[in-house]
């Protein structure tokens, strides 16, 4: 008997699953949170999930709703204890099955990587956002132990990478990827001649930030008869804000200083003032200053790590010595009284940040690391 066989039906090639990347970060909406948000969302060949760790001082509900309305996948885990955070995040990892877990910032990078190990996530990445994190000996020991189980350790500036290596993290695993911002959001500032002769400092109230030196500088300017308005945009710890308010009262400059809290339309504020100041003790990379310069402000920052990589003094902005209110006051006086010269430096600073701190460039560098 002859036998016939049915022709084979071709099977479709399996479709490759998009790379799944989970970002774990503080829910305090600091600079680290913003970077994690900027790395999420629609990107070719990649799915992202943002997991925020609740902060006692910040209710994230409203902002989480805003992020979800933009199409981001967002979850929140509690901060009752480190162990609860780890267990809850590990459960999310088991359900969502990420290929890569990116743990941002201290101390979230510890608990995030522990959860990744517990859930069997194949690849762990640690992103450090500051140069002077307050590591105790025990937390540093944990970070160095986790480093041996971490594929890549990223510093958001060269200064942060150098700090990681100094602490003992393996240099061969440490990489610098400069933070970036969404330039399209910060590029609608007013023409220079239509801007206020005013100062903005976009920074949360915290021990790291140095609002007090700026307020002292404003007091010195007031003694000289120069009284610019200062907009302080940012939330943070109430105790640090109260210190700043008390100093302003003591120096008699409360009528000049506006304590704005969270500013939803920060691009509008930065786009209508001439000077953006970042008075600080140290930074990872000062995003608020970068945003101000992208908006067309003349950038003025403290001459410390994490700011030095943003400004070339006298060319793209101005650096002032740490804790030197007199030097800051003199720089502010010169910039307010030399409008044409300040405008030229502001324009050069804007071109510099556009060329160096683009979010698309940051995303591509991270994606290249994720796909290795």
């Amino acid at each position: 008997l002859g036998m016939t066989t049915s022709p084979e039906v071709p099977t479709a090639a399996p479709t490759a699953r998009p790379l799944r990347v989970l970002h774990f970060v503080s829910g305090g909406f600091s600079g680290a949170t913003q970077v994690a948000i900027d790395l999420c969302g629609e990107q070719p060949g990649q799915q992202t999930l943002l997991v925020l760790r609740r902060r006692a001082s910040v209710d994230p509900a409203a902002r989480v709703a805003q992020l979800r309305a933009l199409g981001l996948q967002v979850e929140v885990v509690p901060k009752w204890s480190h162990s609860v955070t780890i267990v809850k995040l590990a459960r999310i990892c088991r359900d969502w099955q990420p290929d890569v877990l990116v743990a941002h910032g201290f101390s979230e990078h510890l608990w995030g990587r522990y959860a990744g190990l517990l859930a069997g996530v194949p690849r762990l990445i640690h992103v450090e956002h500051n140069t002077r994190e307050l590591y105790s000996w025990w937390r540093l020991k944990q970070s160095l132990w986790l480093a041996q189980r971490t594929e890549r350790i990223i510093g958001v500036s060269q200064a942060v990478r150098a700090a990681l290596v100094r602490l003992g993290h393996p240099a061969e695993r440490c990489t610098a990827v400069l933070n970036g911002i969404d330039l399209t959001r910060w590029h609608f500032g007013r023409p220079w001649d239509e801007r206020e002769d005013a100062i903005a400092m976009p920074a949360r109230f915290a021990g790291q930030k140095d609002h007090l030196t700026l307020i002292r500088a404003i007091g010195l300017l007031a003694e000289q008869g120069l009284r610019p308005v200062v907009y302080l945009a940012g939330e943070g710890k109430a105790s640090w804000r109260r210190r700043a308010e008390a100093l302003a009262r003591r120096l008699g400059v409360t009528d000049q200083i506006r304590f704005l809290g969270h500013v939803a339309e920060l691009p509008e504020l930065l786009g209508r003032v001439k000077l953006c100041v970042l008075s600080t003790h140290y930074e990872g990379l000062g995003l608020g200053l970068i945003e101000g310069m992208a908006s067309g402000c003349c950038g003025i920052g403290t001459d410390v790590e994490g700011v030095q990589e943003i400004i070339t003094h006298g060319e793209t902005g101005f650096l002032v010595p740490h804790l030197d209110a007199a030097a800051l006051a003199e720089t502010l006086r010169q910039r307010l009284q030399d409008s044409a010269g300040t405008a030229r430096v502001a324009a050069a600073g804007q071109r510099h940040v556009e060329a160096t701190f683009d979010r698309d460039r940051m995303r591509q560098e991270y994606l290249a690391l994720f796909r290795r």
Side-chain angles (χ1 to χ4, degrees):
L1 294 173
M3 298 183 64
T4 59
T5 58
S6 300
E8 291 187 6
V9 178
T11 57
T15 302
R17 189 189 81 167
L19 186 73
R20 287 192 169 184
V21 181
L22 185 153
H23 292 270
F24 176 62
V25 68
S26 162
F29 290 89
S30 61
T33 314
Q34 186 57 55
V35 170
I37 291 169
D38 283 341
L39 290 170
C40 290
E42 290 295 328
Q43 295 184 61
Q46 181 182 182
Q47 292 179 339
T48 57
L49 173 63
L50 177 66
V51 182
L52 302 174
R53 188 184 188 210
R54 186 182 297 275
R55 288 284 182 181
S57 59
V58 177
D59 182 357
R63 295 202 205 175
V64 167
Q66 290 172 354
L67 293 172
R68 287 174 176 162
L70 293 173
L72 272 63
Q73 293 188 67
V74 186
E75 299 290 342
V76 179
V77 295
K79 194 192 175 184
W80 300 328
S81 68
H82 304 323
S83 59
V84 171
T85 297
I86 292 166
V87 169
K88 294 286 187 181
L89 180 57
R91 185 175 301 163
I92 291 172
C93 290
R94 291 192 189 98
D95 290 342
W96 197 67
Q97 293 291 302
D99 303 299
V100 184
L101 187 151
V102 188
H104 294 261
F106 182 80
S107 61
E108 278 72 20
H109 69 74
L110 300 176
W111 325 127
R113 286 183 288 169
Y114 280 133
L117 289 173
L118 185 62
V121 177
R123 300 166 62 199
L124 305 178
I125 291 178
H126 160 201
V127 184
E128 192 91 342
H129 289 264
N130 229 323
T131 52
R132 302 188 201 174
E133 296 295 8
L134 300 177
Y135 283 96
S136 65
W137 73 270
W138 173 234
R139 287 194 174 176
L140 178 57
K141 185 174 182 179
Q142 292 178 75
S143 186
L144 297 180
W145 183 86
L146 285 164
Q148 301 304 320
R149 293 149 181 86
T150 301
E151 181 177 298
R152 184 65 58 180
I153 304 168
I154 299 172
V156 300
S157 66
Q158 293 293 343
V160 174
R161 182 193 178 278
L164 286 163
V165 174
R166 282 197 303 271
L167 287 170
H169 296 86
E172 68 277 8
R173 298 192 186 194
C174 294
T175 302
V177 177
L178 298 182
N179 279 343
I181 62 171
D182 180 2
L183 292 170
T184 62
R185 187 171 176 238
W186 305 93
H187 213 291
F188 299 97
R190 298 180 187 180
W192 187 259
D193 291 341
E194 297 178 14
R195 291 173 178 250
E196 295 180 51
D197 288 325
I199 299 157
M201 179 165 161
R204 73 189 189 283
F205 285 92
Q208 173 186 346
K209 310 299 182 182
D210 190 15
H211 293 84
L212 302 185
T213 293
L214 174 57
I215 294 170
R216 291 187 182 101
I218 296 305
L220 293 173
L221 288 179
E223 293 174 0
Q224 302 171 31
L226 192 61
R227 301 183 70 90
V229 172
V230 180
Y231 299 100
L232 300 181
E235 294 177 300
K237 290 190 176 181
S239 59
W240 283 102
R241 173 168 170 162
R242 286 194 295 269
R243 291 186 194 187
E245 290 170 335
L247 179 61
R249 287 194 298 270
R250 194 158 62 247
L251 297 178
V253 294
T254 52
D255 59 327
Q256 296 173 241
I257 298 179
R258 313 283 192 266
F259 291 85
L260 302 179
H262 171 65
V263 177
E265 296 302 323
L266 191 56
E268 190 279 331
L269 171 63
L270 295 176
R272 65 180 167 87
V273 303
K274 289 186 175 178
L275 305 181
C276 179
V277 171
L278 180 57
S279 181
T280 184
H281 300 301
Y282 57 92
E283 292 292 320
L285 195 69
L287 282 179
L289 181 60
I290 292 170
E291 291 164 350
M293 293 167 69
S295 301
C297 298
C298 180
I300 299 171
T302 310
D303 191 5
V304 295
E305 63 267 36
V307 178
Q308 295 158 342
E309 291 180 50
I310 301 171
I311 287 176
T312 300
H313 180 68
E315 296 181 15
T316 59
F318 296 89
L319 297 170
V320 295
H322 181 228
L323 291 175
D324 194 334
L328 178 54
E330 178 60 17
T331 299
L332 293 172
R333 184 191 66 76
Q334 291 175 1
R335 294 309 101 215
L336 290 168
Q337 294 181 345
D338 179 14
S339 182
T342 304
R344 285 194 297 272
V345 174
Q350 187 176 46
R351 291 192 296 270
H352 170 61
V353 299
E354 288 172 351
T356 310
F357 301 108
D358 182 13
R359 182 181 69 174
D360 290 340
R361 183 269 314 154
M362 175 184 72
R363 281 179 161 182
Q364 289 305 311
E365 290 188 33
Y366 272 94
L367 192 55
L369 290 172
F370 298 161
R371 285 177 171 167
R372 283 181 183 172

